[in-house]
Amino acid sequence: AAVIQTKALEKHYQMGSETLRALKGIDVQINTGEFVAVMGPSGSGKSTFMNMLGCLDIPTCGQILLQGEDVTHLPAATLAQMRNKYIGFIFQQFNLLPRTSALDNVVLPMLYNNTPRQQALTQARECLELVGLGSRTTHQPSQLSGGQQQRVAIARALVNQPALLLADEPTGALDTETGLEIMQLFQQLHRQGKTLVLVTHEPDIAEFASRQLVFRDGKLVSDKRSTPACAQT
Ligand code: ADP
Ligand code: ADP
């Protein structure tokens, strides 16, 4: 079943009198359990595409279906609820709250949907354990390595049990070894049936996914499925 689907998706940016077509007629269906790598040169439309999948920005034309529901024209507040419920975000620079414990960083998305405090703490601890940080729950980001901070961010992205995980260059700020450890964690989540979409510039990272999309000049120029290489350190 499709977690998210785009139909003839277009995004245009108005630059003075010029119109820049950042996405040109993108038709993609991402199914439950897929691990998708999004590739392409700088300026090819990867971030714009991810912003569309994440319901962070509204398309110029075309359609987006999230869990079968047309979200293209939903009001901003409804869209924000859909995002919180269905989508987990992971960033290159982790985007954790400083001077806030790992546990409280992971609790945060559950404050927005009024999860009772005790339940939120339990779920946050479970997610930190899942990413291998069960013994670091009281540490603040500054007391953690880059790889550990990214694990906290992944726990935060998982805590509402989203249908879709979106990661923008999640290994971009990490050394090769630590990046591989993060890819191992993504592969573990993939084996557990999670649906992931990850942007990367590195072909070596894209190999760990089960499907590779390539953008060029706003168009989807390649869409291939492959047996994922195994991330090993
Ligand atoms: P990538 O992530 O592959 O580097 P982007 O999606 O960021 O590509 O950008 C695609 C094109 O759209 C580029 O030409 C970029 O300059 C332009 N673009 C992206 N965001 C904006 C924006 N907010 N306003 C104007 N142009 C934008
Ligand atoms: P990436 O590193 O993923 O390629 P970019 O550096 O292209 O990201 O873009 C970073 C942010 O700036 C994105 O949110 C994008 O939408 C925005 N952006 C990119 N190009 C432009 C532009 N020409 N004008 C305004 N915003 C832009």
Side-chain angles (χ1 to χ4, degrees), residues 11-15 20-23 39-51 57 168 199 201 215 217-218:
K11 181 66 183 182
H12 304 172
Y13 294 111
Q14 204 60 44
M15 310 278 285
L20 190 147
R21 277 176 82 197
L23 290 177
M39 311 266 299
S42 190
S44 59
K46 303 183 299 297
S47 303
T48 303
F49 177 66
M50 293 295 274
N51 288 345
D57 203 354
D168 196 349
V199 173
H201 282 109
F215 283 84
D217 199 19

Side-chain angles (χ1 to χ4, degrees), residues 69-107:
E69 183 177 345
D70 189 340
V71 297
T72 320
H73 302 292
L74 289 181
T78 316
L79 209 52
Q81 281 171 6
M82 297 283 286
R83 261 201 309 273
N84 187 259
K85 182 169 175 195
Y86 290 121
I87 301 171
F89 294 92
I90 297 154
F91 309 91
Q92 182 170 359
Q93 297 297 341
F94 325 132
N95 293 8
L96 300 174
L97 290 183
R99 293 175 296 282
T100 304
S101 71
L103 191 65
D104 282 330
N105 266 285
V106 178
V107 160

